[in-house]
Amino acid sequence: MNDNYDERDDELIAMAGKLSQEVAPKRDLWPAIEAVITTPQRSRWTPMFAQAAAVVLLVAGSSGVTYLAVTEQHENERVLTQVVPANMLFEKQASAANTPSDPGFRTLVVISRPNSTRSSNDSHQSRALKLKRTCRRSLMRLMKSMSR
Amino acid sequence: MEALLTTADSDYSPQMISADEIALSDEADWIAQAQRADARAFESLYRLHIDKVYGLCLRMTGNVSEAEDCAQEAFIQVWNKLDKFRGDSAFSTWIHRIAVNAVLGRMRKSKREHDRIQVAAETGPSPVAMGDGGELRDLSEAVDRLPEGARHVFVLYAVYGYSHEEAGNMLGIAAGTSKAQLHRARRLLSQQLKQEGFEA
């Protein structure tokens, strides 16, 4: 099998070729090998399924938390819009306020903004639009009255 | 050794079939059965090849317990990879390759080469010398004292007759590196044997 016959001529190499290639082990190694190969091994898929299940649980868990957080936020906004009828408040504030820097005026603007941008629910969106229109109309009325 | 067997040919003429041919035929059957998870057939393969595999592991590690562990590991890997054996090469060559990988993997893991040499020196005559007498025993012990890389190449090339390309493939090194390691091994062996008054 060797490819370099010059080296094969070397006496050392030639002697090494006479060394015994086969050596019997002092003890029988088969029982230990048999014990390993006949033991049913755990399926390679088990840890993969466990990992997949963990990922699904993680995604589902985080989605649930996000859903709850968003729902709660919407609930707060709904409560806010119900408790504070902007139209009435705005009209009240507008009649009371002499200048746009009035605290009542600023509060009204803050209330109206989240409803127009964040809502995803249809009814909530329509309610927000309605509120927005009302606010705009009231604001126009206020501006007109101020210009006079 | 040859056996005179009568075969069921049409002319009923007796044919001489060598023991090697019988062994090869048996080996092929055992491989096929072992590939179908027959542990008994695999045991027959083990009995057929253990001396060669253990001998290789012993010469490469120079330590009885490590050689036993490597041989066991090699046969477990053979069992696990049996379905990948397609018969492109001889089964013995395939097992040898796995045994060499087992030895290299174990050595990489343990990184106890220095300790191994110390243990081998403390345990008296080299275990590799078993079965070799006289001058061969001296050579065997000198081989065992070689550094890892040089010893592996020397064992595969000089003792088992693999080419530099084959040895390089098994050891994961280039053929040129294998030649360089062989040169180093020869130089070190000559020095060692000269010190011991052995004339090669």
Side-chain angles (χ1 to χ4, degrees):
Chain A
M1 266 194 247
N2 291 347
D3 49 5
N4 192 335
Y5 291 97
D6 292 338
E7 286 175 12
R8 253 288 182 242
D9 292 337
D10 188 281
E11 202 173 342
L12 202 60
I13 302 290
M15 273 188 69
K18 290 177 192 167
L19 291 171
S20 54
Q21 294 184 357
E22 298 186 18
V23 181
K26 281 182 181 173
R27 63 183 178 89
D28 190 8
L29 306 178
W30 175 250
I33 296 168
E34 188 182 27
V36 174
I37 66 171
T38 53
T39 305
Q41 290 182 339
R42 207 175 60 161
S43 170
R44 198 191 303 172
W45 293 104
T46 309
M48 288 181 72
F49 277 126
Q51 284 175 2
V55 168
V56 167
L57 274 175
L58 189 68
V59 169
S62 63
S63 302
V65 168
T66 309
Y67 174 77
L68 285 174
V70 169
T71 311
E72 195 178 341
Q73 189 182 337
H74 284 179
E75 283 296 322
N76 288 342
E77 285 172 4
R78 201 173 298 153
V79 166
L80 190 66
T81 51
Q82 283 171 353
V83 168
V84 186
N87 195 10
M88 288 172 67
L89 178 70
F90 193 81
E91 284 176 356
K92 253 187 185 176
Q93 294 291 336
S95 59
N98 294 325
T99 60
S101 61
D102 187 277
F105 185 83
R106 267 183 273 144
T107 306
L108 183 66
V109 172
V110 170
I111 290 168
S112 65
R113 197 164 53 186
N115 288 339
S116 61
T117 56
R118 290 188 191 167
S119 58
S120 58
N121 188 300
D122 285 348
S123 61
H124 189 71
Q125 247 178 357
S126 61
R127 202 180 300 140
L129 279 171
K130 208 172 172 182
L131 180 65
K132 198 176 170 184
R133 273 188 218 121
T134 314
C135 285
R136 196 181 292 159
R137 243 180 275 137
S138 304
L139 189 64
M140 292 293 286
R141 228 179 287 160
L142 177 69
M143 299 261 295
K144 273 181 190 172
S145 66
M146 281 181 73
S147 65
R148 280 175 206 161
Chain B
M1 191 179 90
E2 288 184 326
L4 182 66
L5 296 177
T6 306
T7 56
D9 289 340
S10 55
D11 57 354
Y12 295 100
S13 62
Q15 286 187 346
M16 296 294 285
I17 300 174
S18 70
D20 285 348
E21 284 173 318
I22 294 169
L24 278 176
S25 156
D26 285 346
E27 187 186 53
D29 290 342
W30 291 332
I31 292 167
Q33 288 167 27
Q35 282 175 329
R36 294 192 293 272
D38 184 342
R40 291 298 107 201
F42 188 65
E43 183 180 359
S44 303
L45 287 172
Y46 162 82
R47 304 273 172 219
L48 189 65
H49 291 284
I50 181 60
D51 289 359
K52 275 186 182 174
V53 169
Y54 179 72
L56 177 69
C57 293
L58 193 57
R59 295 235 179 253
M60 287 188 76
T61 61
N63 181 279
V64 171
S65 63
E66 283 199 9
E68 287 177 352
D69 288 347
C70 288
Q72 279 179 351
E73 178 62 29
F75 275 99
I76 290 165
Q77 283 185 28
V78 167
W79 171 262
N80 290 333
K81 293 176 180 175
L82 256 179
D83 55 334
K84 289 174 187 161
F85 178 71
R86 299 273 173 249
D88 298 333
S89 60
F91 190 67
S92 57
T93 310
W94 189 67
I95 287 189
H96 257 203
R97 197 173 284 269
I98 289 175
V100 169
N101 282 337
V103 169
L104 294 178
R106 187 171 178 80
M107 292 212 153
R108 247 180 259 126
K109 251 189 231 170
S110 66
K111 293 180 181 174
R112 290 180 309 198
E113 179 64 6
H114 183 66
D115 298 342
R116 187 199 65 78
I117 291 169
Q118 280 189 335
V119 168
E122 285 163 7
T123 49
S126 166
V128 179
M130 289 188 305
D132 302 318
E135 292 172 344
L136 289 179
R137 178 182 290 267
D138 294 335
L139 176 62
S140 194
E141 288 177 1
V143 169
D144 191 40
R145 286 195 292 270
L146 286 174
E148 189 182 294
R151 185 175 67 247
H152 290 170
V153 169
F154 188 84
V155 166
L156 289 177
Y157 181 90
V159 181
Y160 286 90
Y162 286 105
S163 68
H164 282 300
E165 282 74 21
E166 288 167 329
N169 274 339
M170 283 181 173
L171 298 171
I173 56 174
T177 311
S178 175
K179 285 178 186 175
Q181 289 284 20
L182 181 72
H183 180 73
R184 183 181 173 213
R186 287 166 64 195
R187 185 171 48 79
L188 290 170
L189 282 174
S190 297
Q191 285 172 2
Q192 280 188 42
L193 294 172
K194 217 172 269 181
Q195 280 172 3
E196 290 167 14
F198 174 77
E199 291 297 324

